[in-house]
Amino acid sequence: MTAPAPALRIGTAAGRGTLLAAILASGMVFLDSTVVNVALPRLGAELDASVAGLQWTVNGYLLMLAAFVLLGGALGDRFGRRRVFLLGVVWFAVASMLCGLAQGTGWLIAARFLQGAGGALLTPGSLSVLQASFDPDDRARAIGTWSGLSGVSTALGPLLGGWLIDAFSWRWIFFVNLPLAVGVVLAVLRWVPESRDEAASRTGAGRRFDVAGTLLGALALGGITYALIDAPARGAGSPAVVAAAVLGVLGAVVFVLVERRRGDTAMLPTGLFGSRLFSVLNIFTVIVYAALGGFTFFLAVYLQNVVGWSALLTGLATVPMTLLLLVGSARAGALAARIGPRLPLTVGPVVAAAGLLLLRRVGPGASYWADVLPGVLLFGAGLTLVVAPLTASVLAAVADRFAGVASGFNNAAARAGGLLAVAALPLLVGLSGSGYEQKTALAGAFRGAMFWCAGLLLAGAVLAGLLIHRPRQPARG
């Protein structure tokens, strides 16, 4: 069972404060998943980075999120969601400061790894705190608001990043996290109630760390990512690339075997996958967020290095996505609650794919209104239909006591999708070395990447249409 927590209501000060803390904290993590993309051309030039260096700047962060967000969710369930959440916020702020102070590519990549580890602690906590703390009558509304405003931070990243880069320096995209973190800490200490999985605490399961599972998951993702990123420079058949790929695949296989043997003490209880809906929703998450990750990685670099826009104008290009997410996510969540998630999760990816195909025609001297805006609007509308229904469906597919680990795994699936897309797409479209600085090479790579991302979205739509249904109400214990 889950420890009783105050049944917060949205209309109360404690309810608003808890929701504010969750939104600001998850917003920092989602912001830093996209804000770096706008800075890639500038920091690449200042730090003399290759395409691989840029990929690791993005993927070092995503790798730690994907690998350790499961552990963060499990730790919150077992040791206290508020406690682990607060630790993650402080950790994330310190790592952000180190990113802003970086004097070389290696330093920046290392700091991004640390930042991702902090994000892995706070991200599942932000959602599981809402799930465990709010009255059932207000829970869907709270999660819908969290989904919408947290999603806004993902889209807002390029705009805020562009302004900070043009007005100050790329370093300020990291320093901006410090005052946000202070606000979150104050809100947590004042309003957020503590909750945990009491069953795990009584049996002592919460006192054991699944170190093997955590490290095997990191090995699986890290090995595959390394192989994909280094293949263009070293060659697909080089010993280092082959060894990394083999280690990654073996790590994934052994991870599944170890988690199955550990049972309820595992970081990822395999019993969760007794719900076919939970499994399908997470496959869908990988697919859709791979398309989102590939899109955001390529668009910001392309608009600056090929179309010739400033960092600020590049960020402004995605403002319509922000507005659509802000206005539409709560409504999309309410719609899915009435009719079920299948239709939104089928239509949304199709609409988003149409937007990416339109963006393939953008070239030097392109008009924002005629060439960029239509594609951005379609992509944003499709994403709006997906975000809130997907989040609510994942949590509804499992019992409340697994809220932390379920949200952790879904976040891991999302980050893994973006991680693999950023690692694989440059290889698939033939972009390596300093190719991102060459207009002809980058233009061809961008068109190919948008095609691949649109294909992923259409595959997600087919999956949703065939296999996703309205979640049955799980046991509350």
Side-chain angles (χ1 to χ4, degrees):
M1 62 178 291
T2 300
L8 300 181
R9 305 305 298 257
I10 288 182
T12 65
R16 289 192 296 268
T18 298
L19 186 57
L20 175 66
I23 290 170
L24 285 179
S26 59
M28 288 193 303
V29 176
F30 297 152
L31 183 71
D32 275 51
S33 297
T34 58
V35 70
V36 171
N37 293 311
V38 176
L40 291 177
R42 199 73 60 85
L43 69 84
E46 182 173 326
L47 302 179
D48 194 26
S50 63
V51 168
L54 300 186
Q55 287 174 280
W56 277 116
T57 299
V58 174
N59 275 352
Y61 179 79
L62 294 178
L63 175 59
M64 298 301 285
L65 271 179
F68 291 98
V69 74
L70 274 174
L71 181 61
L75 288 174
D77 283 345
R78 295 174 183 178
F79 290 113
R81 298 175 179 116
R82 177 182 183 267
R83 180 185 302 170
V84 174
F85 176 61
L86 188 60
L87 173 63
V89 172
V90 175
W91 185 322
F92 191 87
V94 172
S96 296
M97 182 177 64
L98 293 175
C99 289
L101 296 173
Q103 299 300 306
T105 306
W107 178 342
L108 178 59
I109 291 171
R112 287 283 282 172
F113 271 85
L114 288 174
Q115 193 184 35
L121 292 175
L122 74 87
T123 300
S126 66
L127 183 53
S128 62
V129 159
L130 300 183
Q131 181 76 2
S133 302
F134 273 90
D135 185 279
D137 291 340
D138 281 355
R139 190 175 295 159
R141 183 180 169 194
I143 291 174
T145 303
W146 175 90
S147 297
L149 295 181
S150 298
V152 164
S153 67
T154 303
L156 187 63
L159 172 61
L160 177 62
W163 177 73
L164 289 171
I165 292 162
D166 284 346
F168 304 101
S169 163
W170 61 266
R171 300 178 186 279
W172 281 91
I173 65 175
F174 300 110
F175 292 148
V176 73
N177 289 327
L178 301 182
L180 293 176
V182 170
V184 174
V185 169
L186 293 176
V188 169
L189 295 176
R190 175 67 178 86
W191 287 300
V192 176
E194 183 62 282
S195 64
R196 61 171 56 84
D197 180 359
E198 289 294 340
S201 298
R202 286 197 306 271
T203 60
R207 301 301 176 188
R208 296 193 292 272
F209 292 94
D210 186 2
V211 176
T214 301
L215 295 180
L216 285 167
L219 175 64
L221 287 171
I224 294 171
T225 300
Y226 179 89
L228 291 171
I229 290 178
D230 271 32
R234 296 177 181 268
S238 74
V241 170
V242 172
V246 170
L247 283 174
V249 173
L250 286 177
V253 172
V254 178
F255 171 79
V256 173
L257 296 176
V258 167
E259 297 302 281
R260 181 178 296 173
R261 181 173 60 83
R262 283 181 175 270
D264 287 341
T265 66
M267 177 181 63
L268 175 62
T270 54
L272 288 175
F273 297 96
S275 166
R276 189 183 76 164
L277 178 60
F278 181 76
S279 302
V280 171
L281 285 167
N282 281 288
I283 295 171
F284 177 87
T285 298
V286 171
I287 293 172
V288 169
Y289 278 85
L292 175 61
F295 166 68
T296 55
F297 179 78
F298 272 90
L299 181 68
V301 179
Y302 182 76
L303 290 179
Q304 292 177 76
N305 286 2
V306 174
V307 181
W309 291 2
S310 68
L312 178 58
L313 288 177
T314 297
L316 286 169
T318 58
V319 165
M321 288 172 49
T322 304
L323 298 178
L324 285 169
L325 283 164
L326 178 63
V327 172
S329 286
R331 291 176 172 84
L335 175 65
R338 289 198 304 272
I339 68 174
R342 175 178 291 168
L343 186 60
L345 297 185
T346 301
V347 174
V350 173
V351 175
L356 295 186
L357 293 176
L358 280 180
L359 287 169
R360 293 181 77 241
R361 66 182 184 175
V362 173
S367 163
Y368 172 71
W369 300 104
D371 300 319
V372 176
L373 181 61
V376 169
L377 283 174
L378 283 175
F379 185 82
L383 192 63
T384 300
L385 286 173
V386 167
V387 173
L390 177 59
T391 301
S393 297
V394 166
L395 288 176
V398 301
D400 278 358
R401 63 175 293 223
F402 293 117
V405 71
S407 64
F409 184 77
N410 189 244
N411 272 283
R415 304 316 146 206
L419 171 76
L420 295 174
V422 172
L425 278 176
L427 175 62
L428 291 173
V429 299
L431 188 68
S432 62
S434 60
Y436 70 96
E437 297 177 325
Q438 301 165 15
K439 289 186 177 182
T440 301
L442 181 56
F446 174 79
R447 288 191 293 269
M450 294 305 98
F451 182 82
W452 278 98
C453 291
L456 285 170
L457 289 166
L458 294 176
V462 171
L463 181 68
L466 294 177
L467 297 178
I468 290 177
H469 56 79
R470 182 189 294 272
R472 298 180 182 89
Q473 189 69 19
R476 290 295 172 192

